[in-house]
Amino acid sequence: GAGVSQSPRYKVAKRGQDVALRCDPISGHVSLFWYQQALGQGPEFLTYFQNEAQLDKSGLPSDRFFAERPEGSVSTLKIQRTQQEDSAVYLCASSVLGRTEAFFGQGTRLTVV
Amino acid sequence: AQTVTQSQPEMSVQEAETVTLSCTYDTSESNYYLFWYKQPPSRQMILVIRQEAYKQQNATENRFSVNFQKAAKSFSLKISDSQLGDTAMYFCGTYGGSQGNLIFGKGTKLSVKP
């Protein structure tokens, strides 16, 4: 596709349920970023991939959060045993290389009830 | 650790006037990039302007320009001839660290009034 695609756009999960959020980056983009954005706040960095290598996962808030990019293209952010504080918009971005323009997807709005 | 600070949570400006959004940052990197992104209510972040730290000349993109003060670690965004479509959240960001992660400030909500 022409841009970064995220699915689903909206997800409602019951507390304790596991969820998986998908990101399809722009073809050929080496770098991929995940962010968590609470309402009215800036994007908080979660993790960063260069191809299939997860170079930085310092922003993942707990061991319930896990991200992968096994073939260096599509990435999945998984949240286990969701809690209400996980409710946020999850943004994915990709770029050709680090330090260049990052292109963002529309995000996935996760609501935990 | 790298940080980005935007000290103005909200600003407003009259249509056709000029507004400046502030940003300060801290990084230990010698080679880094600075960005301003815009996030309209539809939510998708789009790049407004970027600046390479090694370039002394301030970047300009049509009505958008920056005032980059490297020694002061300041990177403000000036919007000239403000338009209603400029209403959005604006985020200042920087690449830092050898691994290249991109971090943002908390944002400034800009409202352009007719």
Side-chain angles (χ1 to χ4, degrees), chain A residues 36-45, chain B residues 39 89 91 104-107:
Chain A
Q36 181 188 62
Q37 187 176 27
L39 187 64
Q41 299 296 313
E44 293 284 345
F45 170 79
Chain B
Q39 189 177 44
M89 287 289 292
F91 296 101
F104 294 94
K106 294 191 181 300

Side-chain angles (χ1 to χ4, degrees), chain B residues 9-65:
Chain B
E10 291 193 43
M11 293 193 72
S12 65
V13 62
Q14 291 296 127
E15 196 174 6
E17 293 188 348
T18 295
V19 64
T20 298
L21 308 184
S22 301
C23 173
T24 58
Y25 63 93
D26 194 14
T27 179
S28 57
E29 294 293 304
S30 57
N31 181 25
Y32 54 93
Y33 292 74
L34 296 160
F35 303 87
W36 278 97
Y37 277 82
K38 169 184 176 180
Q39 189 177 44
S42 65
R43 201 169 71 212
Q44 190 159 18
M45 300 259 287
I46 55 175
L47 181 69
V48 174
I49 196 166
R50 61 174 260 171
Q51 173 84 41
E52 292 91 342
Y54 63 87
K55 289 187 177 179
Q56 293 187 337
Q57 187 172 5
N58 289 325
T60 299
E61 288 286 342
N62 301 313
R63 298 182 295 107
F64 300 89
S65 61

Side-chain angles (χ1 to χ4, degrees), chain A residues 69-82:
Chain A
R69 194 185 184 196
E71 297 179 359
S73 178
V74 171
S75 179
T76 304
L77 177 67
K78 297 179 179 178
I79 309 173
Q80 296 177 325
R81 305 181 304 281
T82 52

Side-chain angles (χ1 to χ4, degrees), chain A residues 38-59:
Chain A
L39 187 64
Q41 299 296 313
E44 293 284 345
F45 170 79
L46 293 177
T47 187
Y48 164 60
F49 289 86
Q50 194 169 87
N51 295 308
E52 68 278 4
Q54 190 174 20
L55 298 187
D56 189 340
K57 56 181 181 180
S58 61

